[in-house]
Amino acid sequence: MGPVEPQPTAAGATRTARAAQAARTAQDTRTARTARAALETVFRLESPRVVAGVARVVRDLGIAEELTQDALVAALEQWPRDGIPDNPGAWLMTTARRRAVDLVRRRENYARKLAEIGRTLDDTAPPEEPADPDDIDDDLLRLVFTTCHPVLSAEARTALTLRLLGGLTTAEIARAFLVPEPTVAQRIVRAKRTLATRNVAFEVPYGPDREARLGSVLDVIYLIFNEGYAATAGDDWLRPALCEDALRLARVLSALMPKEPEVHGLTALLEFQSSRAAARTGPDGAPVLLKDQDRGRWNRLLITRGLTALARADAAAPGPYVLQAAIAACHAQAYTYEETDWPRIAALYALLAARAPSPVVELNRAVAVSMAEGPAPALEIVDALAAEPALRSYHLLPSVRGDLLHRLGRTAEAHAEFAKAASLTGNARERELLTRRAEECRHPRSRD
């Protein structure tokens, strides 16, 4: 008989058990953190689709949001325990829709209507639903048209749709609108209340009603794309999912309304802008300015699609989106930065400023003028915008002014402008870029 193995003492066994429990707790904590991080990402991307799908069932945006939040809570409880599902977005949609169906079944009028339908089934065959060629089987687009109902103000329509469809926070919408955050919050709450009290149908309108809402729908799609193209906040400069959603909606809309020039104009604009996405960030995710982009990475297929959509617009009196698409086409067709037709771009911006005047359009016109005529005349345009209330917290105003001053050799002033711009942006990547440019102004020899 061999030697007897030493038995652990009571104190040793306790320490072992405690270590094992600590290891299990640490593992559970890591699992919970992984699940929570995944859920935050998925929810940000998928919540618009979930809200839209649930709203189609319950016909109430406020309730749809609540049920979507309920699905989020269920995921927070189950994912850390059961693991992240293979298709997280589908899991959220299924969970929320099941709760929506349960809610509808519990409503008293559902039972009454079901009884009424049941009494007529023996006597009357159900009529076939009309096959409307203009119908859209797309919950997201249906959500856009619903939230762009004329019972809401233009500001409320855009804010609500960006919140529900774009998945933007109230703070992000406020920065996109250049208005205080409480103002946006009030608009969203009042908009949902108005849609509920006025019993607005969750549907895509037809005929004159659709045309009346079209301008708001285009504006919303454009703002969603812009938030994805240059995020107002966060660690990433691009949010590709938002760009993809906006471009997909624009394409669907252009197929739905082939005789609307502005629809094709918006689609063309988003095709052109999307074509540059891969070249707009470096390997580390840092922004790459237009003049420094590798144009070999631009997506020529998207550029071709943009040119096709722009040709379809063919407007005798081009609207704002057709003009912006024409500007983007000038960039897309230039194989080098030096080949860009800046005089034409400046002329198009002048037309756009006359057609849809705004301080932001004037600021963009100033950039084009600086390339076509030089920084001095452009600086006069920018300085005239300094008193604009809407641009008071707009980081691109001091950024553009800093660039013009830098090119004029006024590096000390340029440094101050870039530093101011860095302090105003909410995006970490853009802040790094502006801070770096501010530091470059301390060394005049580094000027191009």
Side-chain angles (χ1 to χ4, degrees), residues 76 113 121 133 141 154 188-189 236 268 273 310 374 409:
L76 287 171
K113 290 179 180 179
L121 285 178
L141 197 58
I188 293 172
V189 171
D236 298 320
Q273 299 292 75
L310 184 57

Side-chain angles (χ1 to χ4, degrees), residues 139-180:
D139 285 338
L140 286 175
L141 197 58
R142 187 177 288 105
L143 178 60
V144 175
F145 272 98
T146 300
T147 55
C148 289
H149 197 281
V151 298
L152 303 177
S153 68
E155 295 82 4
R157 296 173 206 166
T158 309
L160 180 60
T161 309
L162 287 172
R163 178 72 185 92
L164 295 180
L165 183 77
L168 275 64
T169 66
T170 304
E172 289 169 340
I173 298 170
R175 281 190 287 271
F177 277 133
L178 306 177
V179 297

Side-chain angles (χ1 to χ4, degrees), residues 6 32 112 154 184 198 205 213 218 283 285 319 331 348 377 424 432 444:
R112 176 179 56 80
V184 173
R198 299 289 289 274
R213 297 191 215 176
L218 296 180
H331 291 293
L348 287 169
L424 290 175
E432 292 172 2

Side-chain angles (χ1 to χ4, degrees), residues 69-238:
Q69 291 292 333
D70 287 346
L72 172 64
V73 172
L76 287 171
E77 294 173 351
Q78 296 182 37
W79 290 13
R81 182 187 68 230
D82 304 334
I84 301 170
D86 293 335
N87 191 333
W91 190 99
L92 288 171
M93 177 67 81
T94 300
T95 301
R97 285 179 67 89
R98 283 174 179 168
R99 294 179 184 227
V101 171
D102 289 342
L103 177 64
V104 171
R105 284 173 176 165
R106 289 196 300 268
R107 291 174 175 171
E108 293 182 358
N109 65 338
Y110 179 83
R112 176 179 56 80
K113 290 179 180 179
L114 187 61
E116 292 173 356
I117 293 172
R119 285 194 298 269
T120 63
L121 285 178
D122 295 334
D123 303 321
T124 308
E128 294 184 3
E129 293 187 2
D132 193 316
D134 285 342
D135 196 16
I136 311 173
D137 186 19
D138 191 303
D139 285 338
L140 286 175
L141 197 58
R142 187 177 288 105
L143 178 60
V144 175
F145 272 98
T146 300
T147 55
C148 289
H149 197 281
V151 298
L152 303 177
S153 68
E155 295 82 4
R157 296 173 206 166
T158 309
L160 180 60
T161 309
L162 287 172
R163 178 72 185 92
L164 295 180
L165 183 77
L168 275 64
T169 66
T170 304
E172 289 169 340
I173 298 170
R175 281 190 287 271
F177 277 133
L178 306 177
V179 297
E181 186 175 342
T183 300
V184 173
Q186 290 175 1
R187 288 175 183 172
I188 293 172
V189 171
R190 290 171 182 167
K192 287 191 288 188
R193 186 185 302 128
T194 300
L195 291 175
T197 57
R198 299 289 289 274
N199 295 317
V200 172
F202 185 70
E203 63 184 8
V204 177
Y206 297 95
D209 288 341
R210 180 183 294 176
E211 295 175 5
R213 297 191 215 176
L214 181 59
S216 292
V217 171
L218 296 180
D219 290 345
V220 166
I221 293 175
Y222 183 51
L223 284 171
I224 291 172
F225 182 90
N226 275 352
E227 179 58 31
Y229 194 69
T232 55
D235 297 328
D236 298 320
W237 198 33
L238 299 179

